[in-house]
Amino acid sequence: MTKHYLVTGGSGFIGAALVRRLVRDGHKVRVFDDNSRGHPRRLGDVLEAVEFVNGDIRDAEAVAKAVRGVDGVLHLAAVNGTRHFYEKPEVVLDVGVRGMLNVLDACRAAGVGDLVVASSSEAYQTPPLVPTPEDVPLVVPDVQNARYSYGGSKLISELLAVNWGRTGFDRVAIFRPHNVYGPDMGWEHVVPEFVRRAVAAIDRTPRAPVPFPIQGDGGQTRAFVHIDDAIDGIVAVIERGAHLGIYHVGNPEEVTIADLARQVVTVLGREADIQAGPAAPGGTQRRCPDIARLMALGYLPRIPLSAGLPGVVDWYAARCRDAAPVAAE
Ligand SMILES: NC(=O)c1ccc[n+]([C@@H]2O[C@H](COP(=O)([O-])OP(=O)(O)OC[C@H]3O[C@@H](n4cnc5c(N)ncnc54)[C@H](O)[C@@H]3O)[C@@H](O)[C@H]2O)c1
């Protein structure tokens, strides 16, 4: 059955890919975004087919207006990008918490009973169990570390969504993406950042191997999911997610940061000399989702890192000249 959705954060990396998919699946879509990190161009050939509302998720009136008349709200607007967590933690929390409250209030006021909310793996920070199921405790390890403004805002958003969701909603579901990667995701993420640094290091090092400094010893792990798989997972939650259900969206293929760096440099045709450095405060040693719940909704990731990474590395490498200058390492 086709529906009318409001997608907040719909010109962002994941939001735009989701909007394109929803339009292709025959749904009517309204996008709400302030384009602070989003770009309508990401909507590509579906831009004409969507209604684009330029607004701030912190503006209760604007959100109330945007929610009116839709069947469901997919709430993705957030200040993403690790640098921002450190540089503007107040804004991260404001957008995360006030935005969530505005969306919940607007849905209730307009009688929109279907809401799907984007959370994050950062809501649980250092997991007690890897692969990590959805029911581990959500934590803010250090209130004074600005990094946790983001994970904290997601933790609060989950609390708000579940508890507001108990009344006045038919279905509120939450998904937690785990390290989504793909073309045009912005530069403040590990894969684009590695490509930018690898290209610069290759330019400086005509002969192999290419020196590649990393934070910590490189033994930290992450599990990266290609954007196409992530969208399949999110759509499974939208179509079949349970009321008050929480779902990890990811690919449980765990890779060390050192190995990821090596793979990026290899795609660029060279060999990497990984050089350990001081670890970032607040980093998590291992992260890998247990996706059994999402698989029970029919999801299966199809794109291993070895198949997804080359196209994404090439996309960023081709655009490195336009990116911000590489800081001295
Ligand atoms: N990319 C990932 O790997 C990842 C991982 C975990 C969680 N998430 C979550 O998924 C969602 C989408 O992430 P993304 O990677 O597409 O990030 P993104 O930054 O590309 O998209 C977020 C969008 O929200 C918009 N936005 C920011 N502040 C706003 C405001 N005040 N008012 C209206 N719009 C505003 C931005 O312009 C942007 O288009 C976010 O909620 C994010 O926290 C993403």
Side-chain angles (χ1 to χ4, degrees):
M1 195 179 66
T2 60
K3 290 191 173 174
H4 187 184
Y5 287 112
L6 173 72
V7 182
T8 77
S11 59
F13 166 56
I14 298 177
L18 180 59
V19 169
R20 291 199 304 271
R21 167 71 177 268
L22 293 171
V23 170
R24 273 205 303 275
D25 287 353
H27 301 291
K28 199 171 156 189
V29 181
R30 182 182 297 159
V31 169
F32 185 95
D33 202 300
D34 69 352
N35 290 329
S36 52
R37 264 172 62 86
H39 303 282
R41 69 165 158 71
R42 280 201 180 111
L43 295 168
D45 57 358
V46 308
L47 182 58
E48 296 296 310
V50 307
E51 181 189 352
F52 198 101
V53 179
N54 195 321
D56 190 324
I57 202 74
R58 293 170 293 182
D59 177 346
E61 250 177 65
V63 176
K65 195 164 166 239
V67 165
R68 263 177 240 141
V70 300
D71 303 311
V73 176
L74 315 175
H75 177 46
L76 280 75
V79 178
N80 201 2
T82 312
R83 185 162 55 80
H84 299 131
F85 311 162
Y86 289 105
E87 288 177 1
K88 43 181 184 182
E90 185 176 329
V91 179
V92 169
L93 276 154
D94 199 21
V95 170
V97 178
R98 207 182 302 273
M100 184 73 256
L101 277 167
N102 283 345
V103 166
L104 287 163
D105 286 345
C107 285
R108 273 195 183 163
V112 175
D114 192 21
L115 172 64
V116 175
V117 173
S119 178
S120 168
S121 53
E122 302 227 5
Y124 60 72
Q125 293 301 330
T126 301
L129 213 67
V130 181
T132 306
E134 287 84 352
D135 53 5
V136 294
L138 305 190
V139 290
V140 175
D142 180 1
V143 166
Q144 291 184 319
N145 183 340
R147 191 192 198 303
Y148 300 122
S149 54
Y150 176 74
S153 78
K154 293 298 190 185
L155 185 162
I156 297 167
S157 291
E158 289 201 19
L159 268 176
L160 290 170
V162 167
N163 289 295
W164 261 241
R166 292 183 204 282
T167 41
F169 286 87
D170 304 321
R171 195 278 298 261
V172 175
I174 294 169
F175 65 91
R176 295 186 194 140
H178 285 61
N179 288 94
V180 186
Y181 72 101
D184 203 6
M185 69 186 295
W187 290 89
E188 305 95 345
H189 295 274
V190 59
V191 172
E193 172 69 12
F194 276 14
V195 176
R196 194 169 65 88
R197 288 178 39 210
V199 167
I202 287 168
D203 283 352
R204 285 195 301 263
T205 319
R207 281 177 296 279
V210 178
F212 198 94
I214 50 176
Q215 289 185 332
D217 65 3
Q220 285 193 342
T221 70
R222 295 293 181 267
F224 294 90
V225 61
H226 190 273
I227 182 70
D228 293 351
D229 278 339
I231 294 302
D232 279 352
I234 294 166
V235 167
V237 175
I238 294 168
E239 288 180 352
R240 297 181 289 283
H243 182 41
L244 307 185
I246 300 175
Y247 300 89
H248 283 175
V249 170
N251 183 341
E253 182 191 355
E254 207 175 347
V255 61
T256 65
I257 290 299
D259 196 33
L260 177 72
R262 244 177 245 117
Q263 289 193 43
V264 166
V265 177
T266 303
V267 171
L268 294 168
R270 298 286 293 277
E271 187 195 335
D273 170 20
I274 305 296
Q275 299 174 346
T284 294
Q285 192 56 29
R286 283 183 74 191
R287 194 169 278 153
C288 177
D290 179 330
I291 58 164
R293 262 192 210 172
L294 194 60
M295 286 174 71
L297 297 185
Y299 166 78
L300 198 65
R302 294 169 292 123
I303 308 169
L305 192 62
S306 59
L309 197 60
V312 177
V313 170
D314 288 345
W315 192 95
Y316 278 100
R319 286 156 183 85
C320 271
R321 306 277 176 266
D322 307 328
V326 179
E329 286 147 357

